[in-house]
Short mmCIF file of all heavy atoms in Angstrom, two decimals:
data_model
loop_
_atom_site.label_atom_id
_atom_site.label_comp_id
_atom_site.label_asym_id
_atom_site.label_seq_id
_atom_site.Cartn_x
_atom_site.Cartn_y
_atom_site.Cartn_z
N ILE C 462 -0.42 -19.65 12.87
CA ILE C 462 -1.56 -18.74 12.74
C ILE C 462 -2.30 -18.65 14.07
O ILE C 462 -2.63 -17.56 14.53
CB ILE C 462 -2.50 -19.19 11.60
CG1 ILE C 462 -1.80 -19.04 10.25
CG2 ILE C 462 -3.82 -18.42 11.64
CD1 ILE C 462 -2.50 -19.74 9.10
N ILE C 466 -3.03 -15.42 16.39
CA ILE C 466 -4.39 -15.08 16.83
C ILE C 466 -4.41 -14.89 18.33
O ILE C 466 -4.99 -13.92 18.85
CB ILE C 466 -5.40 -16.16 16.39
CG1 ILE C 466 -5.58 -16.13 14.86
CG2 ILE C 466 -6.74 -16.00 17.10
CD1 ILE C 466 -6.33 -17.33 14.29
N PHE C 472 -3.10 -8.85 23.08
CA PHE C 472 -2.95 -7.42 22.85
C PHE C 472 -4.27 -6.69 23.09
O PHE C 472 -4.29 -5.59 23.63
CB PHE C 472 -2.46 -7.18 21.41
CG PHE C 472 -2.42 -5.74 21.00
CD1 PHE C 472 -1.43 -4.88 21.48
CD2 PHE C 472 -3.37 -5.23 20.13
CE1 PHE C 472 -1.40 -3.55 21.09
CE2 PHE C 472 -3.35 -3.89 19.74
CZ PHE C 472 -2.35 -3.05 20.22
N GLU C 477 -8.97 -14.81 26.95
CA GLU C 477 -9.87 -15.92 27.28
C GLU C 477 -10.95 -16.16 26.23
O GLU C 477 -11.62 -17.19 26.24
CB GLU C 477 -10.54 -15.68 28.65
CG GLU C 477 -11.59 -14.58 28.66
CD GLU C 477 -11.06 -13.14 28.54
OE1 GLU C 477 -9.85 -12.91 28.72
OE2 GLU C 477 -11.88 -12.26 28.26
N THR C 480 -11.34 -19.47 21.37
CA THR C 480 -11.72 -20.88 21.57
C THR C 480 -11.37 -21.73 20.36
O THR C 480 -11.50 -22.95 20.41
CB THR C 480 -13.24 -21.00 21.85
OG1 THR C 480 -13.96 -20.46 20.74
CG2 THR C 480 -13.62 -20.26 23.13
N THR C 493 -12.01 -28.49 1.31
CA THR C 493 -12.38 -28.39 -0.10
C THR C 493 -13.02 -27.05 -0.43
O THR C 493 -12.85 -26.54 -1.54
CB THR C 493 -13.33 -29.54 -0.51
OG1 THR C 493 -14.25 -29.77 0.55
CG2 THR C 493 -12.59 -30.79 -0.82
N CYS C 499 -5.76 -16.73 4.11
CA CYS C 499 -4.82 -16.16 5.06
C CYS C 499 -3.48 -15.97 4.37
O CYS C 499 -2.97 -16.89 3.74
CB CYS C 499 -4.67 -17.10 6.26
SG CYS C 499 -3.67 -16.44 7.60
N VAL C 506 15.11 -15.35 10.55
CA VAL C 506 15.59 -14.99 11.88
C VAL C 506 16.73 -15.95 12.20
O VAL C 506 16.50 -17.14 12.40
CB VAL C 506 14.47 -15.11 12.95
CG1 VAL C 506 15.01 -14.76 14.32
CG2 VAL C 506 13.29 -14.22 12.59
N THR C 510 13.59 -19.74 9.19
CA THR C 510 12.49 -18.92 8.69
C THR C 510 11.39 -18.95 9.73
O THR C 510 11.07 -20.01 10.27
CB THR C 510 11.96 -19.49 7.35
OG1 THR C 510 13.04 -19.51 6.42
CG2 THR C 510 10.84 -18.66 6.80
N GLY C 547 3.57 -5.08 8.68
CA GLY C 547 2.12 -4.92 8.68
C GLY C 547 1.64 -4.23 7.42
O GLY C 547 0.61 -4.60 6.84
N SER C 556 -4.45 -5.70 -2.47
CA SER C 556 -4.15 -6.13 -3.85
C SER C 556 -4.99 -7.34 -4.24
O SER C 556 -5.50 -7.41 -5.37
CB SER C 556 -2.66 -6.47 -4.00
OG SER C 556 -1.88 -5.31 -3.83
N LYS C 559 -8.42 -6.11 -5.00
CA LYS C 559 -8.46 -5.44 -6.31
C LYS C 559 -8.47 -6.47 -7.44
O LYS C 559 -9.23 -6.33 -8.40
CB LYS C 559 -7.27 -4.49 -6.45
CG LYS C 559 -7.29 -3.72 -7.75
CD LYS C 559 -6.13 -2.77 -7.87
CE LYS C 559 -6.20 -2.08 -9.23
NZ LYS C 559 -5.01 -1.31 -9.51
N ARG C 561 -9.64 -9.40 -7.34
CA ARG C 561 -10.95 -10.04 -7.32
C ARG C 561 -12.08 -9.10 -7.73
O ARG C 561 -13.23 -9.49 -7.76
CB ARG C 561 -11.25 -10.58 -5.91
CG ARG C 561 -10.35 -11.69 -5.46
CD ARG C 561 -10.92 -12.98 -5.92
NE ARG C 561 -10.04 -14.06 -5.59
CZ ARG C 561 -10.45 -15.26 -5.27
NH1 ARG C 561 -11.71 -15.53 -5.22
NH2 ARG C 561 -9.58 -16.20 -5.02
N TRP C 568 -13.24 -3.90 7.81
CA TRP C 568 -12.64 -4.49 9.01
C TRP C 568 -13.00 -3.62 10.19
O TRP C 568 -13.53 -2.52 10.03
CB TRP C 568 -11.13 -4.66 8.86
CG TRP C 568 -10.35 -3.40 8.67
CD1 TRP C 568 -9.74 -2.66 9.64
CD2 TRP C 568 -10.08 -2.70 7.44
NE1 TRP C 568 -9.10 -1.56 9.10
CE2 TRP C 568 -9.31 -1.57 7.74
CE3 TRP C 568 -10.43 -2.94 6.12
CZ2 TRP C 568 -8.87 -0.68 6.77
CZ3 TRP C 568 -10.00 -2.05 5.15
CH2 TRP C 568 -9.23 -0.93 5.48
N LEU C 571 -10.30 -1.41 17.19
CA LEU C 571 -10.71 -0.96 18.52
C LEU C 571 -10.49 0.55 18.66
O LEU C 571 -9.48 1.09 18.19
CB LEU C 571 -9.93 -1.71 19.60
CG LEU C 571 -10.30 -3.19 19.72
CD1 LEU C 571 -9.28 -3.93 20.57
CD2 LEU C 571 -11.69 -3.34 20.30
N VAL C 588 -12.69 5.50 8.75
CA VAL C 588 -13.01 4.88 10.03
C VAL C 588 -14.40 5.41 10.39
O VAL C 588 -14.56 6.58 10.70
CB VAL C 588 -11.96 5.21 11.11
CG1 VAL C 588 -12.36 4.62 12.45
CG2 VAL C 588 -10.59 4.70 10.68
N LYS C 590 -17.01 6.10 12.52
CA LYS C 590 -17.25 6.23 13.96
C LYS C 590 -18.72 6.22 14.31
O LYS C 590 -19.09 5.98 15.45
CB LYS C 590 -16.57 7.49 14.47
CG LYS C 590 -15.05 7.41 14.35
CD LYS C 590 -14.39 8.71 14.75
CE LYS C 590 -12.89 8.58 14.76
NZ LYS C 590 -12.26 8.69 13.48
N GLN C 591 -19.59 6.46 13.34
CA GLN C 591 -21.01 6.49 13.64
C GLN C 591 -21.64 5.09 13.64
O GLN C 591 -22.78 4.93 14.05
CB GLN C 591 -21.76 7.41 12.66
CG GLN C 591 -21.83 6.92 11.24
CD GLN C 591 -20.61 7.29 10.39
OE1 GLN C 591 -19.52 7.55 10.89
NE2 GLN C 591 -20.78 7.28 9.08
N ASP C 599 -22.35 -17.63 20.46
CA ASP C 599 -23.18 -18.84 20.37
C ASP C 599 -24.12 -19.00 21.57
O ASP C 599 -25.25 -19.44 21.42
CB ASP C 599 -22.31 -20.08 20.17
CG ASP C 599 -21.23 -20.25 21.23
OD1 ASP C 599 -20.92 -19.29 21.97
OD2 ASP C 599 -20.68 -21.36 21.31
N LEU C 602 -26.95 -16.51 21.12
CA LEU C 602 -27.77 -16.99 20.02
C LEU C 602 -28.72 -18.08 20.50
O LEU C 602 -29.93 -18.05 20.24
CB LEU C 602 -26.86 -17.50 18.90
CG LEU C 602 -27.51 -18.11 17.67
CD1 LEU C 602 -28.21 -17.03 16.86
CD2 LEU C 602 -26.45 -18.79 16.81
#
Side-chain angles (χ1 to χ4, degrees):
I462 293 167
I466 291 168
F472 173 74
E477 72 288 345
T480 60
T493 39
C499 186
V506 178
T510 301
S556 294
K559 183 179 178 189
R561 294 273 176 147
W568 62 95
L571 290 167
V588 177
K590 295 175 175 81
Q591 69 275 23
D599 55 344
L602 178 70

